[in-house]
Structure formats: C-alpha cells, structure tokens
C-alpha cells in the first residue's frame, strides 16, 4: 500500500522543478553557475581587478554579463563579460589561499 504524495508536496516538487529549469535556461554557459569562484583577466576599464578573484552572483542574459562579488573588504559587485573570467575550481582557490598559523604567546 504505497501512499500517494499530498497535493502540497506535489505542488512543491513541481515549483522546484520549474525554478530549476528556468535557472538553467538563464545561463548560456552551463560550466559557470552562481557561487563558482572566478579570476578576472583582460579587463581594461577595471584593470586593477585583473588577477583578483570573486564569486559569480548572477548572469544577466540581456547584457551577456556576469555579476561578480569581488573578494576583499568591500565585497564590490561588478558586471563582467564571460570571456574576462577564468573559472577556478573551489578546491584550487581555497588551496592557493595563504595559510595563517597562530602561535601560542610563548613562541
């Protein structure tokens, strides 16, 4: 005797499916998704960002630009062409960050 899913659960499942499909359709580049770590390259108007990193926030299809939250103190968000971003593996990005050791006061 398998119970049928409640109408509420069915609606929730269908809504999640529709949301997932609409989000997938928004991104031309399936390799890049919000939350991925990227590095800026080849920027001319904001050349100071070249070589720095950030997290993808949202893709603006009409403008063909990614909103990227820059690493740093102010968490600035900039819109950038996909060709000016190098996708970094999160493990690589974390591994390449400097390691800080805190020594006890007697050292």
């Amino acid at each position: 005797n398998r119970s049928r899913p409640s109408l509420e659960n069915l609606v929730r499942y269908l809504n999640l499916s529709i949301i997932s499909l609409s989000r997938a359709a928004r991104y031309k580049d399936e390799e890049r998704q919000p939350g991925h770590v990227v590095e800026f390259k080849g920027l001319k108007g904001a050349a100071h960002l070249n070589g720095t990193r950030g997290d993808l926030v949202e893709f603006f299809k009409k403008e063909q630009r990614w909103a990227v939250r820059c690493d740093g103190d102010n968490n600035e968000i900039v819109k950038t062409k996909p060709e000016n971003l190098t996708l970094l593996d999160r493990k690589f990005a974390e591994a390449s960050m400097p390691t800080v050791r805190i020594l006890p006061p007697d050292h």
Side-chain angles (χ1 to χ4, degrees):
N1 251 347
R2 288 179 40 182
S3 63
R4 295 191 317 178
S6 69
L7 182 58
E8 180 182 328
N9 285 338
L10 184 59
V11 169
R12 183 179 301 132
Y13 172 78
L14 290 173
N15 283 338
L16 290 175
S17 297
I18 290 168
I19 290 168
S20 296
L21 288 173
S22 66
R23 283 184 180 161
R26 289 179 72 182
Y27 306 113
K28 181 180 175 184
D29 183 355
E30 292 187 23
E31 190 175 304
R32 296 178 179 147
Q33 295 292 319
H36 284 172
V37 178
V38 293
E39 186 172 280
F40 294 99
K41 65 175 182 178
L43 295 173
K44 294 177 183 148
H48 65 284
L49 293 175
N50 289 327
T52 64
R53 295 181 181 158
D55 297 309
L56 296 178
V57 177
E58 183 177 356
F59 185 71
F60 294 92
K61 191 173 184 176
K62 186 175 182 179
E63 300 172 43
Q64 291 296 298
R65 301 279 193 282
W66 274 101
V68 182
R69 181 178 294 108
C70 301
D71 287 353
D73 295 334
N74 62 0
N75 288 325
E76 176 185 14
I77 294 182
V78 295
K79 289 184 182 175
T80 310
K81 295 177 185 176
E83 57 265 24
N84 293 116
L85 299 170
T86 300
L87 182 63
L88 299 178
D89 180 67
R90 184 170 290 279
K91 290 178 187 172
F92 167 79
E94 290 171 359
S96 63
M97 294 175 70
T99 302
V100 176
R101 284 184 31 197
I102 300 174
L103 298 174
D106 59 334
H107 278 31

